[in-house]
Amino acid sequence: MGIDIYCTNRDCSFEGKQCFEYRRKLLDALRDYLTADESTYERELKYVNWLYREDNEDNSYMNITEEERDMGYEELKKKELDGLFSYIFLTERSMITYTQAVKFKKTFDKMNSFFYSKESRFLDLDMIKHAYCGKGNHNLQCW
Ligand SMILES: [Zn+2]
């Protein structure tokens, strides 16, 4: 299971596939990062916890207003912690652009230690790196 990804550069044959398991692992890493400094990231954490709502029977995660959600997301953006979302919520019609890759890397570098503590490497990083190193000439398209 995954989303197929190819490079939009006509002279490049790079292809990849997003593994769905990494979506969850990235979200887990983000949550661990915020939880480690809970008093600083209270609002952000509330928003991220809400993203888990679908696979949680505990309804307390739903206990968040729209305003709180917006605020949590805005805070994540301000602190450059929203970079993973473009990859976590990738769809078949998404693109991974250079700008997104830069944002992803900024956030990912911050939670790197949380990700690697999970006994598995983030293998999809190659794809982000492709868009990143391509500096806009190797944007990726999903299908
Ligand atoms: Zn390429």
Side-chain angles (χ1 to χ4, degrees):
M1 279 237 297
I3 292 179
D4 290 307
I5 291 166
Y6 68 91
C7 182
T8 56
N9 186 314
R10 270 189 294 172
D11 301 321
C12 177
S13 55
F14 183 85
E15 278 180 358
K17 196 180 193 69
Q18 182 193 48
C19 300
F20 280 148
E21 62 166 309
Y22 288 127
R23 298 160 82 110
R24 180 53 181 264
K25 285 187 177 174
L26 286 170
L27 196 56
D28 287 348
L30 176 61
R31 185 165 64 169
D32 290 349
Y33 175 88
L34 298 173
T35 305
D37 198 357
E38 208 166 337
S39 55
T40 310
Y41 296 121
E42 204 181 320
R43 283 183 291 191
E44 294 88 335
L45 203 51
K46 207 165 180 189
Y47 172 78
V48 170
N49 278 334
W50 175 74
L51 297 175
Y52 282 89
R53 66 195 177 281
E54 270 163 25
D55 45 47
N56 210 302
E57 311 233 317
D58 173 8
N59 283 333
S60 67
Y61 285 165
M62 293 301 289
N63 201 5
I64 178 171
T65 64
E66 211 175 305
E67 200 184 345
E68 284 175 320
R69 283 206 299 264
D70 291 347
M71 214 151 59
Y73 183 64
E74 282 306 313
E75 287 300 315
L76 286 169
K77 269 215 296 214
K78 251 190 255 169
K79 292 165 187 161
E80 298 185 318
L81 293 169
D82 64 325
L84 306 182
F85 292 141
S86 59
Y87 202 72
I88 290 172
F89 300 117
L90 205 70
T91 71
E92 268 105 5
R93 288 179 303 278
S94 298
M95 281 199 75
I96 303 170
T97 62
Y98 171 62
T99 313
Q100 280 168 338
V102 169
K103 277 182 73 177
F104 182 95
K105 199 177 171 308
K106 255 186 201 159
T107 306
F108 188 76
D109 286 348
K110 289 180 195 168
M111 38 218 65
N112 216 338
S113 58
F114 292 91
F115 201 84
Y116 286 92
S117 65
K118 297 246 184 283
E119 296 174 1
S120 61
R121 296 193 48 232
F122 176 47
L123 298 175
D124 282 6
L125 200 55
D126 281 352
M127 282 181 283
I128 310 284
K129 275 188 187 156
H130 190 84
Y132 185 84
C133 299
K135 301 218 181 297
N137 296 314
H138 289 265
N139 292 332
L140 303 173
Q141 173 71 54
C142 307
W143 62 286

